[in-house]
């Protein structure tokens, strides 16, 4: 079976890039930020990337938010 290439059409803003860098080193994260920063978009894309590139195939990923 040929390797698949999955493209996530997401370009993080500078603040979101910083969040990605910090979050990837921790198991649990809490982000407190102003409205309209793009927290949901940022974290959903982060989870997608981590889940799709998980070499162990045993990872468990979840997103918990008020809504």
């Amino acid at each position: 079976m040929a390797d698949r290439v999955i493209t996530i059409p997401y370009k993080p803003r500078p603040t979101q890039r910083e969040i990605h860098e910090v979050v990837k080193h921790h198991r649990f994260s809490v982000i407190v930020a102003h409205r309209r920063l793009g927290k949901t978009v940022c974290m959903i894309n982060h989870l997608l990337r981590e889940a799709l590139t998980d070499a162990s195939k045993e990872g468990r990923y979840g997103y918990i938010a008020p809504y």
Side-chain angles (χ1 to χ4, degrees), residues 21-36:
E21 287 299 315
V22 172
V23 168
K24 73 181 179 183
H25 299 292
H26 301 283
R27 183 174 178 192
F28 299 103
S29 301
V30 175
I31 299 170
V32 180
H34 64 82
R35 292 179 63 226
R36 310 280 306 192

Side-chain angles (χ1 to χ4, degrees), residues 41-63:
V41 171
C42 179
M43 287 298 92
I44 295 298
N45 280 289
H46 188 81
L47 286 171
L48 281 171
R49 187 175 139 263
E50 292 299 315
L52 292 170
T53 59
D54 185 6
S56 72
K57 305 296 183 204
E58 296 178 8
R60 295 180 184 180
Y61 301 88
Y63 178 80

